[in-house]
Amino acid sequence: MDSEDIYVIKELDKYVSITEYLKSQELHYRYQILENKIVEANRWIARQLQIPLATKVFSFKKLRIVNDLPKSIDHVYLEYSRVPGIEQLDLSDVSFYAVLKEHFNLQVTRNEEELAIVMPTKEEAELLQLRENEEVLTTKGHTYTSSIQPLEYFEITAVTSFYRFRSVSST
């Protein structure tokens, strides 16, 4: 299968776990954990999660590899008090949102995201095995449960061909 043939269709009017989508397409995937720790929220993360500065936050970062090709780097932040002990769970090769539901009874009901095409950092380019001057798709956003406070702030850096977007409108 060609690298360009490996992609995820994101329906802009629906929320679907990427892991569940990959399973449904019978694509082989694995996750390399890059970061799994508790940190204090800096000013940016505190603002994104609507929590006080220096609040304990779970920071989780993984490299998504599909059919042996690195496709995206996902970095998520959650207020630690909502997911105590999560850093001790095995988060490799599982749907992060399934873990949130199963272990913490947290169900994502909506998300908001912004997309941009940007130049990757040196680390991102190396992890995604990009050619020189190759751009990436960056997605930043929030997920929510029924609360108005964000459950999660996320940043995803992906090979530009990995996501295809679909929107359906009606009048």
Side-chain angles (χ1 to χ4, degrees):
M1 183 177 280
D2 185 24
S3 173
E4 298 293 317
D5 294 334
I6 302 168
Y7 59 88
V8 170
I9 296 176
K10 287 189 80 171
E11 306 255 357
L12 298 178
D13 57 338
K14 297 177 188 163
Y15 174 76
V16 176
S17 158
I18 301 304
T19 301
E20 296 306 319
Y21 181 89
L22 295 172
K23 281 182 189 177
S24 74
Q25 299 301 305
E26 298 181 359
L27 292 168
H28 173 73
Y29 66 90
R30 63 186 173 89
Y31 299 135
Q32 178 184 334
I33 308 299
L34 304 173
E35 183 174 297
N36 179 5
K37 63 184 179 180
I38 311 308
V39 298
E40 289 186 352
N42 62 25
R43 192 171 267 107
W44 173 255
I45 298 302
R47 189 176 316 131
Q48 296 304 313
L49 292 175
Q50 301 173 9
I51 57 176
L53 187 65
T55 299
K56 285 187 177 183
V57 172
F58 175 61
S59 175
F60 178 64
K61 188 175 180 181
K62 67 183 176 186
L63 176 64
R64 178 177 281 117
I65 301 166
V66 183
N67 287 5
D68 296 321
L69 298 169
K71 290 296 184 177
S72 70
I73 302 163
D74 297 23
H75 198 166
V76 300
Y77 301 89
L78 294 95
E79 184 177 2
Y80 186 65
S81 65
R82 297 183 79 178
V83 290
I86 193 171
E87 77 283 3
Q88 297 168 12
L89 298 176
D90 181 6
L91 300 175
S92 56
D93 304 331
V94 297
S95 166
F96 187 69
Y97 297 118
V99 169
L100 292 179
K101 184 176 181 183
E102 180 182 338
H103 292 274
F104 304 100
N105 200 30
L106 294 169
Q107 174 73 42
V108 171
T109 58
R110 71 182 180 96
N111 72 319
E112 298 173 359
E113 52 190 48
E114 294 180 9
L115 311 171
I117 302 291
V118 299
M119 293 305 295
T121 65
K122 184 178 179 182
E123 177 191 30
E124 291 166 341
E126 287 174 6
L127 286 169
L128 294 172
Q129 300 175 4
L130 301 174
R131 296 181 303 272
E132 189 173 344
N133 296 321
E134 186 175 354
E135 296 173 320
V136 292
L137 172 68
T138 185
T139 307
K140 296 181 180 185
H142 303 89
T143 59
Y144 297 85
T145 59
S146 56
S147 168
I148 59 170
Q149 180 184 8
L151 168 64
E152 162 197 49
Y153 170 69
F154 61 86
E155 298 177 353
I156 301 170
T157 303
V159 174
T160 55
S161 63
F162 186 53
Y163 289 108
R164 296 187 184 175
F165 297 91
R166 181 172 186 268
S167 175
V168 176
S169 302
S170 59
T171 55

